C-alpha cells in the first residue's frame, strides 16, 4: 500500500506573483490597451487575495465561495483561482436597466435582480420568455441565463411540478443572479460550422492595435522634421557665396582627408544675408517649437550630434548675432550643407525631388493601426455575437492599399467554417483552440435526442455557454462541475431520448474529432478541455471510455482514480510486445491482472497502480515535491498512453489511421527537433521544452508501434539523417536519445537505469527528472 500523501497546502505565493506581474504590466507597458487589461487582472487577483485572507474563498473546493452552490458560474482567474465574483451577477446591464425602469416594485422583491427575476415569472414576463423560446431571439452567455427559459418551457408542457422544484432551487439566488436571457433581435441558430471568436471580439482586438514605435518615429520624421530640416538647409544655402558646398567625389567614391573625413568643396556659408532672411529664420524656429510640442516620438531632432539639431543651433545664433559665429562654426555649417547636398541633392534638384517624393509616398501610406481601424469599422456593421461567412466583406483594399496579412489573420478567427477547414487554414492551431470551438458542435450532438425544436435550441445554447466556464483548481480528486449538474438541465433530462440515431451521431462525431486532433496536432497531449468534450461525446454515444486528464504536479494527491488503471489495461492489451512496451518496459501482464480498489476522498482509486507508478519513477515512498510528483505522473501517462490507446482500441483508429501513422511519427520528430534546437535562455522554459519534447517522443513511439517493420526501419533511417543535418552541439547532446531508439528497435531492452548499448550510451528519454535533466547538462 502506498504511503498516504498529505494534501498540498494552497498558499498565497502564486497569487502574489500574479499580482506582482499584473502591477508591473499595468504601470510600465507601452500599450495603453494592455495596461488597461492588466489593471483589470490586478483587480481580480486582489479579490482572490482578499477572499483567501478573510476565509471567504476555499481554494481547492468545488464550492470555493461560501453559500454558493457548485453549479453557479464563477469568475475564475488564471490557475483556477475563484475571485469570489459570480458571472451572472454584478452590475445591471443596459437592457436590464431599461426593463427595470418600466416595472412596478413587486411585493417581496428586495433587490433589483429579484424584481427582474420576479417579473419574468409573472404573466407578462412569461409571455415574453415564451415568445423568445419560439423565435430564438435571445442569447445565453452564462448557463444561468437559460434557467427561466427552461421553467417557461416546462410550464408550457404542463410540467408544473418540475418547474416549481426548479424554482425552489433557484430561489435563494434570485436576488443576485440573472436567470433570464439577454434579448436579441436575431434568432439564435446553431449551425454545423464553428468560429474561434465572435465578430465583437475581433473588433475589440483590432481597436487595440497600436502603431509600432519605429513606424511612428519614421512617419514623424518624414512628415514633420524632414521638411523643417530642408527649410533650414535652404536658408543657409542662401548665404553661400560661390558654388554650393559639396563633398568631393572621384570615381564614384568620396575623397577623404588624412583624418578620414570627406573633403568639402564649394563656397562658404554666412557670407551674405538676403533681405528678409532673419525673419524667415525666426519663423522656422517658431514653427519648430510648435511642432515639438505636438510631436515627441522621435528624439533625433533634439540629439546634440544630429545635423538638424546642430544646424538649428547655428540658426538661433545667426538670428541673435551673426557676428558671434567663429570660423570653426562656419566650417561646421559648410560641412553639414555639403553632406546634405551630396546625399540628397541641392534644393530644387531632380535628385532631391525624387527622394522627398518617395518619402512622402511612404509617409502617406496608411499605417497598420489605421488599416486596423478601417477593418474594424467594416466589421462594426455586422452582428457582434456571430461569425463571418466570408472574408470578402473586410478583405477589400483600403484606398488601393491591401489589408496586411497579420490583420486578416485576426479577422479570420471570426470566420465560420467546418472545423477541419479552420485547422487546415491554421486558424485552429492547437488542441487547446480546438477544444474551445468543439462545444459549438458537441452541443448540437447532445441536443440530437430532443424532439421539441425550441427545447433543442435552448439546450444547445446552454451547453455552449456552460463549456465557456473556466475550470477551478480542485483538490482531493474532486471533479469539475458537470453539465448535467445544472438544475435546469437536470429538470429536462426526461425529455432527452438516447435513441440509436443520436448515439450514432455522437460516435461519428467522436471519431471525427479524435482523428482530427491526432492528425493535426500529433506531437501534443490531448488537453483537458478537449478531453472533457470527448468524454461528453462518448457519453452521448453510450461508450464508457476511461479518458484521463493531465494532472497538475503541484497539487497531485499521490493516487489515481480507477479510470487510470482501466486506461492502462487498454494500453496493455493494444501494445503488448510492441516497440512502445519494450521502450518503456511496460509490465503488460501485471497491469492486466491488477484489480484493486480503495475509497479515498469518496472516490474509487487504485493503490496498486499508484504504487507501480511510484516504483517506476524511482520516487521515495515518503515526501512531497513538484519534481517527484511529476515523475510519478509521467509514468501514469506512459502506462495509459494518455488516451491514445483508449481511443485507438475503442474507435478502431489503428486501422483508420494506419496509412498516416509513419507521417504522424515524422511530424512529432520534426517538431521536437525544432524545439530542442531553439535557443532558450530561461531555465524554466528549458525545463518545459524538455517535458514537451518528451511527450512528443512518447506520441511518436505510440504511432511507430502500430506500423509494419519496414516502415519502422524507413523512419529510423530518415530520423538519423534528419538529426545529422542539425548543428554539431545538438547531434552530440541528442545522440543518447537516438541510440536508445535504435537499440530498442533492434529488439533490445534498457537496463534498470534506463540505459543500453555499449558503455550504456543509449538512454531512455523521459521528460521529468528529480534533479537536473541530463539533456540540459553541458
Amino acid at each position: 500500500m502506498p504511503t498516504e500523501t498529505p494534501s498540498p497546502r494552497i498558499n498565497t505565493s502564486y497569487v502574489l506573483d500574479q499580482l506582482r506581474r499584473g502591477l508591473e504590466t499595468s504601470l510600465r507597458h507601452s500599450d495603453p490597451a494592455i495596461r488597461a487589461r492588466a489593471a483589470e487582472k490586478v483587480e481580480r487577483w486582489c479579490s482572490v487575495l482578499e477572499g483567501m485572507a478573510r476565509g471567504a474563498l476555499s481554494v481547492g473546493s468545488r464550492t470555493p465561495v461560501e453559500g454558493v452552490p457548485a453549479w453557479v458560474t464563477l469568475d475564475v482567474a488564471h490557475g483556477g483561482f475563484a475571485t469570489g465574483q459570480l458571472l451572472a451577477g454584478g452590475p445591471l446591464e443596459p437592457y436590464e436597466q431599461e426593463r427595470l425602469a418600466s416595472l412596478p416594485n413587486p411585493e417581496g422583491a428586495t433587490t433589483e435582480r429579484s424584481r427582474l427575476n420576479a417579473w419574468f415569472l409573472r404573466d407578462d414576463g412569461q409571455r415574453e420568455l415564451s415568445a423568445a423560446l419560439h423565435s430564438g431571439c435571445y442569447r445565453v452567455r452564462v448557463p444561468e441565463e437559460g434557467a427561466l427559459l427552461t421553467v417557461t418551457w416546462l410550464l408550457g408542457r404542463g410540467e408544473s411540478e418540475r418547474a416549481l422544484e426548479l424554482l425552489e432551487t433557484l430561489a435563494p439566488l434570485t436576488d443576485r443572479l440573472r436567470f433570464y436571457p439577454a434579448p436579441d433581435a436575431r434568432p439564435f441558430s446553431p449551425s454545423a460550422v464553428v468560429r474561434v471568436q465572435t465578430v465583437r471580439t475581433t473588433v475589440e482586438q483590432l481597436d487595440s492595435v497600436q502603431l509600432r514605435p519605429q513606424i511612428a518615429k519614421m512617419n514623424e520624421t518624414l512628415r514633420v522634421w524632414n521638411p523643417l530640416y530642408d527649410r533650414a538647409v535652404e536658408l543657409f544655402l542662401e548665404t553661400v557665396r560661390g558654388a554650393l558646398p559639396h563633398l568631393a567625389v572621384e570615381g564614384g567614391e568620396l575623397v577623404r582627408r588624412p583624418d578620414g573625413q570627406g573633403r568639402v568643396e564649394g563656397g562658404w556659408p554666412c557670407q551674405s544675408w538676403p533681405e528678409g532672411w532673419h525673419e524667415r529664420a525666426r519663423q522656422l524656429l517658431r514653427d519648430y517649437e510648435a511642432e515639438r510640442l505636438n510631436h515627441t516620438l522621435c528624439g533625433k531632432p533634439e540629439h546634440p550630434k544630429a545635423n538638424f539639431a546642430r544646424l538649428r543651433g547655428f540658426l538661433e545664433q545667426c538670428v541673435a548675432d551673426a557676428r558671434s559665429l567663429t570660423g570653426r562654426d562656419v566650417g561646421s555649417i559648410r560641412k553639414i550643407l555639403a553632406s546634405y547636398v551630396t546625399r540628397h541633392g541641392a534644393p530644387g534638384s531632380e535628385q532631391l525631388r525624387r527622394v522627398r517624393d518617395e518619402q512622402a509616398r511612404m509617409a502617406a501610406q496608411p499605417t497598420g493601426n489605421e488599416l486596423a481601424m478601417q477593418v474594424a469599422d467594416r466589421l462594426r456593421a455586422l452582428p457582434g455575437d456571430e461569425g463571418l461567412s466570408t472574408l470578402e466583406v473586410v478583405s477589400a483594399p483600403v484606398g488601393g492599399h491591401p489589408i496586411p496579412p497579420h490583420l486578416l489573420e485576426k479577422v479570420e478567427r471570426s470566420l465560420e467554417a467546418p472545423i477541419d477547414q479552420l485547422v487546415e487554414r491554421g486558424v485552429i492551431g492547437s488542441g487547446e483552440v480546438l477544444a474551445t470551438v468543439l462545444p459549438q458542435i458537441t452541443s448540437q450532438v447532445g441536443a440530437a435526442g430532443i424532439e421539441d425544436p425550441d427545447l433543442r435550441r435552448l439546450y444547445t445554447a446552454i451547453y455552449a455557454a456552460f463549456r465557456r466556464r473556466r475550470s477551478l483548481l480542485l483538490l482531493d480528486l474532486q471533479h469539475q462541475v458537470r453539465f448535467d449538474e445544472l438544475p435546469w438541465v437536470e429538470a429536462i433530462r426526461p425529455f432527452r431520448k438516447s435513441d440509436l440515431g443520436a448515439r450514432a451521431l455522437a460516435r461519428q462525431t467522436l471519431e471525427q474529432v479524435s482523428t482530427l486532433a491526432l492528425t493535426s496536432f500529433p506531437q501534443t497531449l490531448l488537453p483537458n478541455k478537449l478531453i472533457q468534450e470527448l468524454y461528453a461525446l462518448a457519453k452521448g454515444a453510450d461508450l464508457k471510455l476511461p479518458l484521463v486528464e493531465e494532472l497538475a504536479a503541484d497539487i497531485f494527491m499521490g493516487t489515481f482514480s480507477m479510470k487510470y488503471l482501466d486506461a492502462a489495461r487498454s494500453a496493455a492489451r493494444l501494445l503488448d510486445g510492441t516497440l512502445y512496451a519494450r521502450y518503456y518496459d511496460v509490465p503488460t501482464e501485471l497491469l492486466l491482472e491488477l484489480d484493486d480498489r480503495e475509497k479515498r476522498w469518496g472516490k474509487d482509486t487504485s493503490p496498486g497502480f499508484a504504487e507501480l507508478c511510484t516504483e517506476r519513477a524511482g520516487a521515495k515512498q515518503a515526501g512531497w515535491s513538484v519534481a517527484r510528483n511529476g515523475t510519478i505522473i509521467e509514468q501514469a501517462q506512459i502506462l495509459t498512453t494518455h488516451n491514445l490507446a483508449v481511443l485507438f482500441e475503442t474507435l478502431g483508429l489503428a486501422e483508420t489511421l494506419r496509412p498516416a501513422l509513419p507521417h504522424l511519427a515524422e511530424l512529432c520528430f520534426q517538431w521536437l527537433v525544432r524545439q530542442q534546437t531553439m535557443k532558450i535562455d530561461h531555465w524554466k522554459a528549458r525545463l518545459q521544452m524538455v517535458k514537451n519534447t518528451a511527450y512528443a517522443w512518447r506520441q511518436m513511439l505510440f504511432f511507430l508501434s502500430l506500423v509494419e517493420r519496414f516502415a519502422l526501419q524507413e523512419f529510423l533511417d530518415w530520423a538519423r539523417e534528419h538529426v545529422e543535418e542539425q548543428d554539431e552541439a545538438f547531434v552530440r547532446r541528442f545522440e543518447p536519445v537516438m541510440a536508445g531508439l535504435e537499440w530498442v528497435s533492434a529488439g533490445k531492452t534498457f537496463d534498470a537505469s534506463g540505459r543500453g548499448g555499449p558503455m550504456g550510451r543509449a538512454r531512455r528519454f523521459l521528460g521529468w527528472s528529480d534533479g537536473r535533466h541530463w539533456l540540459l547538462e553541458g
Side-chain angles (χ1 to χ4, degrees):
M1 296 289 293
T3 302
E4 181 78 14
T5 302
S7 297
R9 177 176 174 270
I10 302 296
N11 58 46
T12 59
S13 59
Y14 179 86
V15 179
L16 288 171
D17 185 57
Q18 293 295 318
L19 183 58
R20 176 187 59 79
R21 293 184 182 185
L23 283 170
E24 289 180 354
T25 303
S26 66
L27 294 173
R28 300 178 182 176
H29 202 281
S30 59
D31 188 336
I34 293 178
R35 288 201 304 272
R37 289 195 293 269
E40 293 176 1
K41 291 180 180 179
V42 167
E43 187 174 344
R44 297 174 73 202
W45 283 114
C46 285
S47 298
V48 174
L49 191 61
E50 181 184 356
M52 293 176 68
R54 290 191 294 107
L57 290 178
S58 302
V59 178
S61 168
R62 291 180 91 230
T63 53
V65 181
E66 185 178 359
V68 176
W71 49 262
V72 173
T73 308
L74 304 176
D75 179 42
V76 180
H78 185 72
F81 288 80
T83 68
Q85 304 301 312
L86 313 183
L87 291 186
L92 293 182
E93 298 195 11
Y95 76 89
E96 293 178 285
Q97 294 173 344
E98 182 179 350
R99 169 67 65 194
L100 195 65
S102 66
L103 300 183
N105 191 3
E107 188 175 345
T110 57
T111 69
E112 293 175 325
R113 277 269 156 66
S114 61
R115 289 178 60 193
L116 287 165
N117 279 309
W119 183 81
F120 277 107
L121 291 173
R122 294 167 67 91
D123 290 344
D124 289 346
Q126 281 292 289
R127 280 193 290 272
E128 183 171 310
L129 289 181
S130 180
L133 267 175
H134 291 312
S135 67
C137 292
Y138 62 85
R139 295 296 181 269
V140 176
R141 291 131 347 142
V142 291
E144 288 86 334
E145 294 176 350
L148 291 187
L149 281 169
T150 305
V151 170
T152 301
W153 187 89
L154 289 169
L155 291 174
R157 296 304 180 279
E159 296 286 340
S160 300
E161 185 175 348
R162 289 185 183 277
L164 289 174
E165 289 177 356
L166 175 55
L167 287 173
E168 287 178 4
T169 302
L170 303 179
L173 290 163
T174 54
D175 62 333
R176 303 171 63 184
L177 302 182
R178 291 188 304 274
F179 288 118
Y180 40 84
D184 198 287
R186 294 159 291 108
F188 168 68
S189 179
S191 65
V193 295
V194 301
R195 60 175 181 271
V196 172
Q197 63 191 30
T198 63
V199 167
R200 180 177 294 108
T201 300
T202 299
V203 168
E204 291 172 354
Q205 293 176 350
L206 290 169
D207 284 341
S208 67
V209 172
Q210 296 291 313
L211 181 61
R212 287 189 297 170
Q214 58 269 36
I215 299 296
K217 291 178 181 178
M218 180 192 75
N219 285 341
E220 185 178 280
T221 298
L222 296 181
R223 296 171 179 174
V224 179
W225 306 126
N226 277 358
L228 288 172
Y229 184 27
D230 290 347
R231 286 170 59 189
V233 169
E234 289 179 18
L235 278 169
F236 273 111
L237 287 177
E238 289 181 26
T239 69
V240 172
R241 185 172 296 163
L244 294 181
H246 59 277
L247 298 178
V249 176
E250 291 182 3
E253 299 289 337
L254 288 177
V255 177
R256 299 191 179 277
R257 301 182 315 192
D259 61 1
Q261 297 295 315
R263 193 178 77 201
V264 178
E265 296 180 340
W268 288 78
C270 305
Q271 301 304 302
S272 64
W273 309 99
E275 183 178 353
W277 186 95
H278 289 81
E279 181 52 37
R280 286 184 284 126
R282 290 189 189 94
Q283 185 58 51
L284 188 152
L285 293 172
R286 287 194 293 268
D287 292 346
Y288 172 82
E289 291 302 327
E291 296 289 5
R292 188 73 255 173
L293 293 174
N294 299 318
H295 301 90
T296 59
L297 295 175
C298 183
K300 190 174 180 181
E302 294 288 344
H303 195 284
K305 292 186 177 181
N307 281 349
F308 183 24
R310 295 171 63 206
L311 203 60
R312 196 175 62 255
F314 291 131
L315 200 63
E316 293 173 350
Q317 194 173 349
C318 290
V319 168
D321 183 6
R323 291 172 299 181
S324 66
L325 292 174
T326 66
R328 185 186 185 102
D329 293 338
V330 175
S332 296
I333 295 171
R334 182 174 183 249
K335 184 177 179 182
I336 292 173
L337 298 177
S339 298
Y340 177 99
V341 170
T342 303
R343 181 179 180 183
H344 303 298
S349 67
E350 180 65 20
Q351 178 186 353
L352 181 60
R353 188 192 62 77
R354 286 197 304 267
V355 170
R356 293 306 186 222
D357 284 352
E358 176 61 21
Q359 291 177 343
R361 186 191 64 80
M362 293 173 59
Q365 287 185 341
T367 60
N369 66 317
E370 290 170 342
L371 289 172
M373 286 189 289
Q374 292 281 347
V375 174
D377 288 341
R378 291 174 177 177
L379 292 175
R380 265 184 262 274
L382 304 175
D385 59 354
E386 296 182 3
L388 296 171
S389 59
T390 176
L391 296 181
E392 291 180 4
V393 67
V394 293
S395 60
V398 174
H401 299 282
I403 306 299
H406 73 279
L407 293 181
L408 289 178
E409 287 174 7
K410 290 182 182 295
V411 176
E412 207 170 18
R413 293 176 65 81
S414 291
L415 180 65
E416 290 185 330
I419 289 181
D420 56 346
Q421 291 185 20
L422 294 184
V423 170
E424 185 178 349
R425 296 174 75 117
V427 179
I428 298 176
S430 69
E432 287 80 3
V433 178
L434 176 61
T436 64
V437 304
L438 198 53
Q440 298 169 50
I441 297 297
T442 52
S443 62
Q444 298 170 60
V445 174
I450 299 176
E451 294 181 351
D452 184 89
D454 294 343
L455 183 59
R456 186 163 59 243
R457 175 162 47 194
L458 175 59
Y459 179 96
T460 301
I462 296 172
Y463 184 93
F466 177 80
R467 286 310 188 192
R468 289 193 288 269
R469 288 172 57 131
R470 296 191 67 172
S471 297
L472 284 169
L473 173 64
L474 297 177
L475 301 177
D476 302 335
L477 297 182
Q478 297 177 93
H479 62 78
Q480 301 291 334
V481 173
R482 298 190 176 109
F483 183 59
D484 291 339
E485 293 182 67
L486 301 182
W488 47 99
V489 173
E490 171 60 24
I492 60 175
R493 181 177 54 80
F495 306 99
R496 293 176 57 205
K497 297 180 180 179
S498 181
D499 59 20
L500 184 61
R503 291 199 299 272
L505 175 61
R507 181 183 178 110
Q508 180 185 26
T509 306
L510 176 62
E511 291 176 2
Q512 291 174 345
V513 171
S514 299
T515 300
L516 183 65
L518 294 174
T519 55
S520 302
F521 319 110
Q523 72 279 0
T524 59
L525 299 179
L526 296 176
N528 288 351
K529 276 286 189 183
L530 182 55
I531 292 171
Q532 292 176 14
E533 297 304 321
L534 296 181
Y535 177 82
L537 288 169
K539 187 177 180 181
D542 203 18
L543 294 174
K544 294 184 178 180
L545 298 187
L547 297 172
V548 298
E549 299 85 2
E550 182 180 8
L551 301 175
D554 57 346
I555 59 168
F556 178 54
M557 306 305 299
T559 191
F560 298 93
S561 59
M562 281 300 297
K563 66 180 178 180
Y564 284 83
L565 177 56
D566 294 339
R569 288 174 179 157
S570 178
R573 288 191 296 268
L574 181 68
L575 297 172
D576 186 30
T578 64
L579 171 67
Y580 186 101
R582 292 197 309 275
Y583 187 91
Y584 291 114
D585 192 21
V586 177
T588 53
E589 292 185 8
L590 187 155
L591 288 168
L592 292 172
E593 295 172 359
L594 184 61
D595 187 18
D596 62 341
R597 190 181 300 266
E598 176 182 276
K599 284 283 186 182
R600 294 184 68 183
W601 302 294
K603 303 288 184 180
D604 287 333
T605 66
S606 173
F609 183 74
E611 185 176 11
L612 176 61
C613 293
T614 303
E615 179 184 341
R616 286 171 56 86
K620 298 177 181 178
Q621 291 296 310
W624 187 96
S625 74
V626 172
R628 175 185 180 276
N629 291 349
T631 60
I632 298 172
I633 292 171
E634 183 173 28
Q635 288 301 320
Q637 290 178 340
I638 288 171
L639 296 180
T640 63
T641 69
H642 197 69
N643 301 307
L644 294 181
V646 169
L647 293 174
F648 269 66
E649 183 184 45
T650 307
L651 303 180
L653 298 185
E655 290 305 316
T656 304
L657 295 178
R658 192 175 300 281
L661 292 177
H663 178 61
L664 296 181
E666 288 183 4
L667 292 176
C668 290
F669 192 80
Q670 289 173 330
W671 182 87
L672 72 89
V673 169
R674 284 197 303 271
Q675 296 296 307
Q676 286 275 347
T677 52
M678 287 175 58
K679 179 174 175 55
I680 303 175
D681 296 324
H682 196 276
W683 66 272
K684 270 192 176 181
R686 297 182 70 201
L687 287 176
Q688 190 62 53
M689 178 274 293
V690 171
K691 285 184 282 188
N692 290 341
T693 53
Y695 299 159
W697 183 262
R698 189 173 70 236
Q699 307 259 119
M700 177 196 79
L701 286 172
F702 178 88
F703 299 139
L704 290 176
S705 294
L706 302 178
V707 304
E708 300 294 338
R709 176 66 200 180
F710 76 89
L712 173 60
Q713 187 57 54
E714 287 181 351
F715 175 87
L716 293 173
D717 294 340
W718 170 85
R720 171 59 72 177
E721 181 179 343
H722 186 68
V723 167
E724 292 177 352
E725 291 173 353
Q726 312 306 316
D727 65 81
E728 185 178 344
F730 168 74
V731 174
R732 182 173 59 255
R733 180 166 54 85
F734 202 70
E735 176 56 31
V737 179
M738 282 302 302
L741 175 60
E742 292 165 344
W743 176 257
V744 177
S745 297
K748 311 292 181 57
T749 58
F750 293 118
D751 60 22
S753 68
R755 293 175 178 266
M759 307 292 291
R761 71 185 184 91
R763 301 188 69 164
R764 180 185 290 134
F765 181 22
L766 300 176
W768 281 88
S769 175
D770 196 355
R772 184 174 176 82
H773 198 287
W774 57 269
L775 260 177
L776 297 178
E777 295 174 355

